[in-house]
Amino acid sequence: MRGRIDRFVRSRVIPREALLDGGGPAAAEALAELRGQAREEGLWALPLPEDLGGGGLGFRAYAELAEVEGASDHGPVALGSAPLLDVTMLARHGGTTVREAYLKRLVAGEIRTCYAMTEPDVPGTDPFRTATRAERGPDGGWVVTGRKWFTSGVAGADLVTVMARTGGGSGDREGLSLLLVPTASAGFRVVRELPVLGTGGQYEIALDRVRVPADHLLGEPGDALAIAGERLQLGRTLRCLRWLGQAQRAFDLMCERAATGPVDRSPTSSWSKVTSSTPCSPCAPPAPWCTRRWH
Protein backbone atom coordinates (compact mmCIF):
# COMPACT_ATOMS: atom_id res chain seq x y z
CA MET A 1 0.00 0.00 0.00
CA ARG A 2 2.85 2.37 0.81
CA GLY A 3 4.26 1.86 -2.67
CA ARG A 4 0.88 2.52 -4.29
CA ILE A 5 0.43 5.77 -2.35
CA ASP A 6 4.00 6.81 -3.15
CA ARG A 7 3.47 6.24 -6.87
CA PHE A 8 0.15 8.08 -6.83
CA VAL A 9 1.65 11.16 -5.15
CA ARG A 10 4.76 11.23 -7.34
CA SER A 11 3.09 10.50 -10.67
CA ARG A 12 -0.32 12.14 -10.25
CA VAL A 13 -0.23 14.83 -7.54
CA ILE A 14 3.23 16.38 -7.75
CA PRO A 15 3.08 17.08 -11.51
CA ARG A 16 -0.05 19.17 -10.83
CA GLU A 17 1.23 21.10 -7.82
CA ALA A 18 1.65 24.38 -9.69
CA LEU A 19 -1.93 24.16 -10.95
CA LEU A 20 -3.29 23.22 -7.52
CA ASP A 21 -1.30 26.00 -5.83
CA GLY A 22 -2.87 28.55 -8.15
CA GLY A 23 -6.43 27.87 -6.97
CA GLY A 24 -9.52 28.77 -8.95
CA PRO A 25 -11.78 26.63 -11.16
CA ALA A 26 -8.89 24.87 -12.91
CA ALA A 27 -7.41 23.76 -9.59
CA ALA A 28 -10.81 22.57 -8.35
CA GLU A 29 -11.28 20.53 -11.52
CA ALA A 30 -7.82 18.97 -11.20
CA LEU A 31 -8.41 18.12 -7.53
CA ALA A 32 -11.76 16.53 -8.33
CA GLU A 33 -10.09 14.39 -11.00
CA LEU A 34 -7.36 13.28 -8.56
CA ARG A 35 -9.95 12.39 -5.93
CA GLY A 36 -11.88 10.35 -8.45
CA GLN A 37 -8.72 8.45 -9.36
CA ALA A 38 -7.96 7.82 -5.68
CA ARG A 39 -11.44 6.32 -5.22
CA GLU A 40 -11.11 4.15 -8.31
CA GLU A 41 -7.77 2.78 -7.09
CA GLY A 42 -8.99 2.05 -3.56
CA LEU A 43 -6.82 4.73 -1.97
CA TRP A 44 -9.53 7.08 -0.73
CA ALA A 45 -9.75 8.18 2.94
CA LEU A 46 -7.74 5.20 4.18
CA PRO A 47 -7.47 6.27 7.87
CA LEU A 48 -11.11 7.29 8.22
CA PRO A 49 -13.80 5.01 9.72
CA GLU A 50 -15.08 2.31 7.42
CA ASP A 51 -18.71 2.77 8.53
CA LEU A 52 -18.48 6.38 7.33
CA GLY A 53 -17.06 5.48 3.92
CA GLY A 54 -13.35 5.46 4.74
CA GLY A 55 -10.74 2.73 4.55
CA GLY A 56 -10.85 1.89 8.25
CA LEU A 57 -7.06 1.73 8.76
CA GLY A 58 -5.90 2.12 12.36
CA PHE A 59 -3.44 4.89 13.07
CA ARG A 60 -0.45 2.59 13.43
CA ALA A 61 -1.08 1.16 9.98
CA TYR A 62 -1.72 4.61 8.52
CA ALA A 63 1.39 6.26 9.99
CA GLU A 64 3.77 5.14 7.25
CA LEU A 65 1.22 6.11 4.61
CA ALA A 66 0.90 9.60 6.10
CA GLU A 67 4.60 10.07 5.45
CA VAL A 68 4.41 9.35 1.73
CA GLU A 69 1.13 11.28 1.37
CA GLY A 70 2.86 14.29 2.89
CA ALA A 71 5.54 14.48 0.23
CA SER A 72 3.14 16.96 -1.40
CA ASP A 73 1.02 19.48 0.49
CA HIS A 74 -1.85 18.38 -1.74
CA GLY A 75 -1.41 14.66 -1.09
CA PRO A 76 -3.72 14.29 1.94
CA VAL A 77 -6.45 16.35 0.27
CA ALA A 78 -6.25 14.42 -3.00
CA LEU A 79 -6.35 11.10 -1.15
CA GLY A 80 -9.17 12.05 1.22
CA SER A 81 -7.26 11.74 4.50
CA ALA A 82 -7.07 15.49 5.21
CA PRO A 83 -10.18 15.62 7.48
CA LEU A 84 -8.84 12.97 9.88
CA LEU A 85 -8.50 15.45 12.76
CA ASP A 86 -12.00 16.85 12.36
CA VAL A 87 -13.67 13.49 11.77
CA THR A 88 -12.00 12.08 14.88
CA MET A 89 -13.01 15.08 16.99
CA LEU A 90 -16.63 15.19 15.79
CA ALA A 91 -17.07 11.42 16.08
CA ARG A 92 -15.89 11.50 19.69
CA HIS A 93 -17.44 14.72 20.93
CA GLY A 94 -20.23 15.75 18.54
CA GLY A 95 -23.83 15.07 19.43
CA THR A 96 -26.17 12.90 17.38
CA THR A 97 -27.26 15.79 15.14
CA VAL A 98 -23.68 16.78 14.31
CA ARG A 99 -22.56 13.21 13.66
CA GLU A 100 -25.50 12.37 11.43
CA ALA A 101 -25.45 15.66 9.52
CA TYR A 102 -21.77 15.99 8.77
CA LEU A 103 -19.54 12.96 9.27
CA LYS A 104 -20.36 10.93 6.15
CA ARG A 105 -20.27 14.09 4.03
CA LEU A 106 -16.87 14.98 5.47
CA VAL A 107 -15.43 11.57 4.67
CA ALA A 108 -16.93 11.69 1.18
CA GLY A 109 -15.20 15.04 0.55
CA GLU A 110 -18.51 16.82 0.00
CA ILE A 111 -17.90 19.41 2.73
CA ARG A 112 -14.83 20.90 4.42
CA THR A 113 -14.08 21.94 7.99
CA CYS A 114 -11.41 23.97 9.78
CA TYR A 115 -10.43 25.00 13.30
CA ALA A 116 -10.25 28.52 14.80
CA MET A 117 -8.47 29.14 18.09
CA THR A 118 -5.83 31.90 17.79
CA GLU A 119 -6.95 35.52 18.20
CA PRO A 120 -5.49 38.95 17.41
CA ASP A 121 -3.93 40.73 20.42
CA VAL A 122 -3.94 37.49 22.44
CA PRO A 123 -0.88 35.20 22.72
CA GLY A 124 -1.63 32.04 20.78
CA THR A 125 -0.01 29.95 23.50
CA ASP A 126 -2.41 31.26 26.16
CA PRO A 127 -5.95 30.03 25.43
CA PHE A 128 -7.08 31.18 28.89
CA ARG A 129 -7.17 34.73 27.51
CA THR A 130 -9.60 33.82 24.70
CA ALA A 131 -11.79 36.88 24.09
CA THR A 132 -14.38 35.39 21.71
CA ARG A 133 -17.57 34.87 23.67
CA ALA A 134 -20.61 32.64 23.21
CA GLU A 135 -23.74 33.50 25.16
CA ARG A 136 -27.00 31.60 25.44
CA GLY A 137 -29.75 32.89 23.18
CA PRO A 138 -33.45 32.90 24.00
CA ASP A 139 -33.93 29.68 22.00
CA GLY A 140 -31.26 27.83 23.99
CA GLY A 141 -28.68 28.17 21.21
CA TRP A 142 -25.49 30.20 21.28
CA VAL A 143 -24.66 33.71 20.04
CA VAL A 144 -20.96 33.99 19.18
CA THR A 145 -19.00 37.25 18.89
CA GLY A 146 -15.27 37.66 18.35
CA ARG A 147 -12.33 37.49 15.97
CA LYS A 148 -9.88 34.72 15.07
CA TRP A 149 -6.85 34.71 12.84
CA PHE A 150 -4.34 32.33 11.27
CA THR A 151 -7.30 30.04 10.68
CA SER A 152 -6.11 27.51 8.11
CA GLY A 153 -8.33 26.71 5.13
CA VAL A 154 -11.39 28.70 6.15
CA ALA A 155 -11.86 30.02 2.61
CA GLY A 156 -14.22 27.51 1.06
CA ALA A 157 -14.86 25.68 4.34
CA ASP A 158 -18.43 24.82 5.27
CA LEU A 159 -17.87 24.50 9.02
CA VAL A 160 -15.40 25.96 11.48
CA THR A 161 -14.84 24.78 15.04
CA VAL A 162 -14.52 27.91 17.19
CA MET A 163 -13.07 28.11 20.68
CA ALA A 164 -15.13 30.59 22.68
CA ARG A 165 -15.66 31.59 26.28
CA THR A 166 -19.04 30.43 27.58
CA GLY A 167 -18.29 31.21 31.22
CA GLY A 168 -15.83 33.02 33.46
CA GLY A 169 -13.53 35.85 32.42
CA SER A 170 -10.21 36.44 30.72
CA GLY A 171 -7.49 34.31 32.27
CA ASP A 172 -9.86 31.77 33.81
CA ARG A 173 -9.03 28.14 33.12
CA GLU A 174 -12.68 27.14 33.24
CA GLY A 175 -15.42 28.24 30.88
CA LEU A 176 -13.91 27.56 27.43
CA SER A 177 -16.03 25.61 24.94
CA LEU A 178 -15.93 24.49 21.32
CA LEU A 179 -18.77 25.28 18.93
CA LEU A 180 -19.21 24.00 15.38
CA VAL A 181 -20.18 27.06 13.35
CA PRO A 182 -21.61 26.82 9.80
CA THR A 183 -19.75 29.41 7.73
CA ALA A 184 -22.95 30.32 5.88
CA SER A 185 -24.38 31.75 9.12
CA ALA A 186 -25.36 35.42 9.21
CA GLY A 187 -22.61 37.47 10.83
CA PHE A 188 -19.76 35.14 9.85
CA ARG A 189 -17.15 36.84 7.67
CA VAL A 190 -13.71 36.06 6.25
CA VAL A 191 -11.86 39.35 6.78
CA ARG A 192 -8.58 38.79 4.92
CA GLU A 193 -5.89 36.32 3.98
CA LEU A 194 -2.67 36.39 6.02
CA PRO A 195 0.30 35.22 3.93
CA VAL A 196 3.05 33.53 5.93
CA LEU A 197 6.53 33.48 4.36
CA GLY A 198 4.90 33.90 0.97
CA THR A 199 2.45 31.04 1.47
CA GLY A 200 -1.32 31.55 1.61
CA GLY A 201 -4.10 29.59 3.22
CA GLN A 202 -4.28 31.39 6.60
CA TYR A 203 -7.12 33.83 7.28
CA GLU A 204 -8.62 36.26 9.74
CA ILE A 205 -12.33 35.77 10.45
CA ALA A 206 -14.94 37.80 12.30
CA LEU A 207 -18.06 36.55 14.08
CA ASP A 208 -20.68 39.23 14.73
CA ARG A 209 -23.46 37.76 16.86
CA VAL A 210 -23.43 34.51 14.90
CA ARG A 211 -26.24 32.19 15.99
CA VAL A 212 -25.21 28.56 16.51
CA PRO A 213 -27.68 25.75 17.33
CA ALA A 214 -27.46 24.36 20.85
CA ASP A 215 -26.66 20.88 19.51
CA HIS A 216 -23.52 22.21 17.74
CA LEU A 217 -21.65 22.41 21.03
CA LEU A 218 -18.89 19.80 21.16
CA GLY A 219 -18.87 17.88 24.42
CA GLU A 220 -20.13 19.85 27.39
CA PRO A 221 -19.66 23.55 28.22
CA GLY A 222 -16.12 23.98 29.50
CA ASP A 223 -14.67 20.96 27.64
CA ALA A 224 -12.66 22.94 25.09
CA LEU A 225 -9.20 22.44 26.53
CA ALA A 226 -9.58 18.69 26.97
CA ILE A 227 -10.90 18.26 23.41
CA ALA A 228 -8.28 20.62 21.98
CA GLY A 229 -5.56 18.66 23.78
CA GLU A 230 -6.68 15.44 22.09
CA ARG A 231 -6.73 17.17 18.74
CA LEU A 232 -3.30 18.70 19.27
CA GLN A 233 -1.67 15.37 20.09
CA LEU A 234 -2.94 13.74 16.92
CA GLY A 235 -2.36 16.88 14.88
CA ARG A 236 1.28 17.23 15.87
CA THR A 237 1.93 13.58 15.12
CA LEU A 238 0.34 13.87 11.68
CA ARG A 239 2.26 17.06 10.97
CA CYS A 240 5.55 15.38 11.84
CA LEU A 241 4.78 12.33 9.71
CA ARG A 242 3.86 14.45 6.70
CA TRP A 243 6.92 16.65 7.13
CA LEU A 244 9.03 13.49 7.07
CA GLY A 245 7.61 12.95 3.61
CA GLN A 246 8.64 16.49 2.63
CA ALA A 247 12.11 15.91 4.07
CA GLN A 248 12.51 12.65 2.15
CA ARG A 249 11.47 14.40 -1.03
CA ALA A 250 14.06 17.15 -0.45
CA PHE A 251 16.73 14.55 0.31
CA ASP A 252 15.92 12.60 -2.86
CA LEU A 253 16.17 15.77 -4.93
CA MET A 254 19.54 16.53 -3.37
CA CYS A 255 20.77 13.03 -4.18
CA GLU A 256 19.51 13.30 -7.73
CA ARG A 257 21.30 16.59 -8.17
CA ALA A 258 24.50 15.21 -6.68
CA ALA A 259 24.42 12.21 -9.01
CA THR A 260 23.57 14.08 -12.21
CA GLY A 261 24.55 17.73 -11.80
CA PRO A 262 27.76 18.46 -13.75
CA VAL A 263 30.41 20.53 -12.04
CA ASP A 264 33.55 21.07 -14.16
CA ARG A 265 32.39 18.20 -16.40
CA SER A 266 31.97 15.72 -13.52
CA PRO A 267 28.95 15.01 -11.29
CA THR A 268 28.94 16.60 -7.85
CA SER A 269 28.77 13.12 -6.34
CA SER A 270 32.43 12.70 -7.25
CA TRP A 271 33.36 15.39 -4.73
CA SER A 272 34.45 13.84 -1.46
CA LYS A 273 32.72 16.55 0.58
CA VAL A 274 29.38 15.69 -1.04
CA THR A 275 29.70 11.94 -0.55
CA SER A 276 31.03 12.16 3.01
CA SER A 277 28.28 14.53 4.18
CA THR A 278 25.40 12.61 2.57
CA PRO A 279 24.17 10.03 5.09
CA CYS A 280 23.62 6.38 4.23
CA SER A 281 24.89 6.58 0.68
CA PRO A 282 27.53 8.12 -1.57
CA CYS A 283 24.51 9.28 -3.54
CA ALA A 284 25.74 8.04 -6.88
CA PRO A 285 24.08 5.51 -9.16
CA PRO A 286 22.93 2.85 -8.61
CA ALA A 287 21.68 4.26 -5.26
CA PRO A 288 17.89 3.62 -5.38
CA TRP A 289 16.82 7.11 -4.38
CA CYS A 290 18.78 8.64 -7.22
CA THR A 291 16.33 7.03 -9.65
CA ARG A 292 13.33 8.79 -8.06
CA ARG A 293 11.89 11.74 -9.89
CA TRP A 294 9.90 14.48 -8.12
CA HIS A 295 9.47 16.81 -11.06
Side-chain angles (χ1 to χ4, degrees), residues 131-175:
T132 298
R133 297 199 67 90
E135 300 175 343
R136 287 285 190 184
D139 60 353
W142 300 93
V143 180
V144 185
T145 300
R147 284 196 304 157
K148 301 286 183 181
W149 67 353
F150 296 105
T151 301
S152 301
V154 70
D158 302 279
L159 301 161
V160 54
T161 300
V162 175
M163 181 176 287
R165 184 163 289 285
T166 54
S170 179
D172 289 348
R173 184 178 182 86
E174 307 298 328

Side-chain angles (χ1 to χ4, degrees), residues 144-219:
V144 185
T145 300
R147 284 196 304 157
K148 301 286 183 181
W149 67 353
F150 296 105
T151 301
S152 301
V154 70
D158 302 279
L159 301 161
V160 54
T161 300
V162 175
M163 181 176 287
R165 184 163 289 285
T166 54
S170 179
D172 289 348
R173 184 178 182 86
E174 307 298 328
L176 292 170
S177 303
L178 292 177
L179 293 147
L180 189 63
V181 179
T183 57
S185 302
F188 182 92
R189 180 167 60 96
V190 176
V191 177
R192 56 175 174 151
E193 188 172 15
L194 302 167
V196 179
L197 299 177
T199 301
Q202 309 279 329
Y203 297 85
E204 179 179 354
I205 62 174
L207 300 100
D208 182 11
R209 296 190 59 78
V210 175
R211 295 188 174 276
V212 180
D215 54 18
H216 279 45
L217 174 74
L218 302 186

Side-chain angles (χ1 to χ4, degrees), residues 31-276:
L31 181 59
E33 183 178 345
L34 288 169
R35 288 177 154 191
Q37 292 170 354
R39 288 186 176 94
E40 290 172 4
E41 297 181 23
L43 303 177
W44 178 257
L46 293 177
L48 301 183
E50 192 171 9
D51 61 330
L52 297 174
L57 279 184
F59 188 74
R60 286 181 181 273
Y62 171 65
E64 65 171 337
L65 306 184
E67 181 182 336
V68 290
E69 282 183 356
S72 170
D73 286 339
H74 301 285
V77 178
L79 289 158
S81 62
L84 177 58
L85 284 177
D86 290 297
V87 169
T88 301
M89 179 179 67
L90 297 182
R92 289 178 179 174
H93 303 288
T96 302
T97 299
V98 163
R99 295 196 305 272
E100 292 182 351
Y102 304 123
L103 282 180
K104 285 188 176 181
R105 297 174 65 200
L106 266 174
V107 175
E110 296 173 0
I111 59 174
R112 288 177 44 206
T113 56
C114 61
Y115 185 81
M117 179 173 170
T118 306
E119 299 185 357
D121 305 320
V122 176
T125 55
D126 188 3
F128 305 143
R129 293 173 60 184
T130 295
T132 298
R133 297 199 67 90
E135 300 175 343
R136 287 285 190 184
D139 60 353
W142 300 93
V143 180
V144 185
T145 300
R147 284 196 304 157
K148 301 286 183 181
W149 67 353
F150 296 105
T151 301
S152 301
V154 70
D158 302 279
L159 301 161
V160 54
T161 300
V162 175
M163 181 176 287
R165 184 163 289 285
T166 54
S170 179
D172 289 348
R173 184 178 182 86
E174 307 298 328
L176 292 170
S177 303
L178 292 177
L179 293 147
L180 189 63
V181 179
T183 57
S185 302
F188 182 92
R189 180 167 60 96
V190 176
V191 177
R192 56 175 174 151
E193 188 172 15
L194 302 167
V196 179
L197 299 177
T199 301
Q202 309 279 329
Y203 297 85
E204 179 179 354
I205 62 174
L207 300 100
D208 182 11
R209 296 190 59 78
V210 175
R211 295 188 174 276
V212 180
D215 54 18
H216 279 45
L217 174 74
L218 302 186
E220 299 294 330
D223 280 355
L225 295 182
I227 298 172
E230 286 181 10
R231 181 188 177 94
L232 189 61
Q233 288 177 355
L234 177 58
R236 283 179 170 170
T237 304
L238 279 174
R239 185 75 72 182
C240 289
L241 289 168
R242 289 166 178 166
W243 278 344
L244 281 173
Q246 297 267 340
Q248 182 64 56
R249 179 180 176 185
F251 180 79
D252 291 341
L253 287 168
M254 179 188 70
C255 289
E256 181 183 329
R257 176 63 177 171
T260 60
V263 177
D264 292 333
R265 291 177 292 184
S266 63
T268 359
S269 60
S270 65
W271 291 19
S272 60
K273 278 291 185 183
V274 172
T275 58
S276 64

